[in-house]
Amino acid sequence: MTTWFNETLYKGFRQSHEVKKVLFEGKSKYQQVGVFESGRFGRVLALDGVVQCTEGDEFVYHEMLTHLPILAHGAVQSVLIIGGGDGGILEEVLKHKAIKRVTMVEIDGDVIEVAKKYLPKICGKAFSDKRTNLIVGDGAAYVAETKDRYDIVIVDRPDPVGPATVLFSEGFYKNCRRVMKPNGILVAQNGVPHMQGPELTEAVKLFQKLWAQSGTYLAVVPTYVCGFMSMTWASDRDITDVDPRKVFARFDKARLPALNYYNPEIHFGAFALPNFVARLLPAPKKPVPKKVVKTAAKKKAALKKKKAKR
C-alpha cells in the first residue's frame, strides 16, 4: 500500500508526496520536524506538516535568494542569514570566496542537527566552514542587539504562523535596517503570489516605509505549488538598475560551482513581473524633490542653532 504525505497549507487545496521511507520524525521545542524519502523529489524536509525544501528542487529557492542580491551588490564581504536551518542558503552564500563572514541565526537547533544528518546534499559542509558563525537563537533578538553590520541580510522565513510571525513585523525590519551597511540589500521569501497575494502587498508596503527602494522578483520552485515564488527585496538603492555588463563580469569572476538555476540572464528576467503580480505591488514611493529636502535641512539646522543659544 502506498503511503502519502499530504500538505494542506492552503484552504481548499493540497499537494501529496509519495513516502518511500520515513527517515526522521520528532518534535522540537518549536515545531514538528520530519524528513522522508519521496518518490519524485528525493529527501524532503517538512516542518509542522509543510514542505520546506526537497533535494529535487531546493537549488531554485536557495540560489535565487543568495546569488541575485550578492551579485547585484558587487562588493559583499559579510552576510547575515535569519532562519535557514536546512543550511541551503548558507551553502550557496559560501560559494562566494570573496565573502569573509557569514552569520546564521536559527531558532531551532534541532532542525540544524537533522539537516546535518539527513540532508547533506542540501547543506554540504556549510556548517563546518571556518567563515560560518552559527548562532542557535532568536533572529529578532539578534538584530535588535548586535553591533555587527552586514552587506546582505537574507530572511529565510517560513509562513507567518507561530514563532515566525515576528519575522513579518515592522519592528523586526527596522532592526534589520539598523544592522545593514550603507547600500546594503535585504531579501526575504514572500510566498506564492497566486495564493498569498495580500502577504506580498503588505510586505512591500512595509519595506517602502523603511527603505528608499523595494520590490519583488520571481522564481519557479516546483514543490512550492501554484506558480511563482516571490522574493521581496529592500535597499536604499535600486537593485534593478545595475549595468548588465557588471553583473555578467561579477558572475564570471566569482566562478560559482555547479549552479542549476541562477545565471545573469535569469537575474534580470526575474524582475519581469506578470500583470497579476505587478498589480499586487503598491505604487512606488515618489522621490522627495531636492528643493524640499534642502529646505527641510535648513529648517532643522536653524532650529538646532536656536536651541543651542538658549
Side-chain angles (χ1 to χ4, degrees):
M1 181 178 175
T2 302
T3 301
W4 294 87
F5 171 89
N6 295 310
E7 178 190 78
T8 55
L9 176 60
Y10 306 120
K11 186 177 180 180
F13 181 89
R14 73 177 181 182
Q15 69 161 325
S16 299
H17 289 269
E18 182 182 4
V19 179
K20 291 287 189 180
K21 183 180 180 181
V22 175
L23 301 173
F24 177 85
E25 278 187 328
K27 187 170 179 60
S28 73
K29 180 181 176 180
Y30 300 98
Q31 56 205 337
Q32 195 73 32
V33 182
V35 179
F36 62 91
E37 191 81 41
S38 75
R40 174 68 69 171
F41 287 94
R43 293 185 176 185
V44 177
L45 171 67
L47 301 178
D48 284 339
V50 178
V51 172
Q52 302 301 305
C53 62
T54 80
E55 289 179 333
D57 64 358
E58 56 83 22
F59 58 86
V60 182
Y61 179 81
H62 292 139
E63 289 181 16
M64 290 298 283
L65 268 178
T66 55
H67 304 307
L68 189 149
I70 289 171
L71 293 175
H73 185 286
V76 176
Q77 293 192 335
S78 57
V79 177
L80 171 63
I81 303 167
I82 302 296
D86 54 68
I89 294 287
L90 180 62
E91 195 258 351
E92 292 297 331
V93 169
L94 291 168
K95 289 180 179 179
H96 292 265
K97 302 304 180 186
I99 292 176
K100 297 179 179 179
R101 176 171 57 99
V102 186
T103 296
M104 175 176 152
V105 187
E106 164 61 52
I107 198 168
D108 197 336
D110 289 355
V111 174
I112 295 171
E113 295 307 313
V114 167
K116 288 179 181 177
K117 185 173 182 178
Y118 297 104
L119 302 169
K121 288 185 178 180
I122 293 177
C123 64
K125 299 179 180 179
F127 291 115
S128 59
D129 192 288
K130 63 182 181 180
R131 293 173 291 163
T132 297
N133 173 30
L134 179 61
I135 299 172
V136 177
D138 185 342
Y142 178 82
V143 294
E145 299 165 3
T146 185
K147 295 181 180 179
D148 292 333
R149 298 295 181 265
Y150 298 91
D151 297 304
I152 301 288
V153 175
I154 301 173
V155 185
D156 187 9
R157 60 189 188 182
D159 293 287
V161 293
T165 53
V166 69
L167 302 184
F168 292 77
S169 69
E170 182 173 344
F172 170 69
Y173 285 102
K174 280 183 178 178
N175 287 323
C176 284
R177 179 179 173 82
R178 186 186 73 83
V179 305
M180 289 166 63
K181 293 180 182 179
N183 289 320
I185 299 170
L186 177 141
V187 292
Q189 80 84 5
N190 224 98
V192 180
H194 189 76
M195 304 294 273
Q196 298 165 280
E199 289 177 25
L200 174 57
T201 303
E202 291 307 310
V204 177
K205 280 183 180 179
L206 173 56
F207 287 2
Q208 285 181 347
K209 291 174 65 174
L210 301 175
W211 283 274
Q213 301 286 340
S214 59
T216 196
Y217 59 93
L218 303 175
V220 178
V221 187
T223 47
Y224 299 161
V225 294
C226 296
F228 297 103
M229 162 67 66
S230 63
M231 301 175 187
T232 46
W233 63 270
S235 180
D236 282 334
R237 58 173 170 168
D238 185 355
I239 72 169
T240 68
D241 187 21
V242 180
D243 187 335
R245 292 171 295 183
K246 289 184 178 180
V247 173
F248 275 82
R250 292 167 186 169
F251 180 76
D252 290 341
K253 184 178 180 180
R255 296 184 179 181
L256 301 171
L259 299 188
N260 292 308
Y261 191 90
Y262 176 87
N263 58 49
E265 291 87 352
I266 287 288
H267 181 115
F268 292 98
F271 292 106
L273 305 180
N275 294 337
F276 83 95
V277 177
R279 282 193 290 266
L280 292 171
L281 303 186
K285 289 194 302 185
K286 293 181 180 180
V288 180
K290 291 183 179 180
K291 185 176 180 180
V292 174
V293 174
K294 287 181 179 179
T295 302
K298 286 181 180 179
K299 286 183 178 179
K300 187 175 181 181
L303 182 62
K304 189 175 180 181
K305 189 175 180 180
K306 186 176 180 181
K307 287 181 178 179
K309 287 181 179 180
R310 290 178 180 174

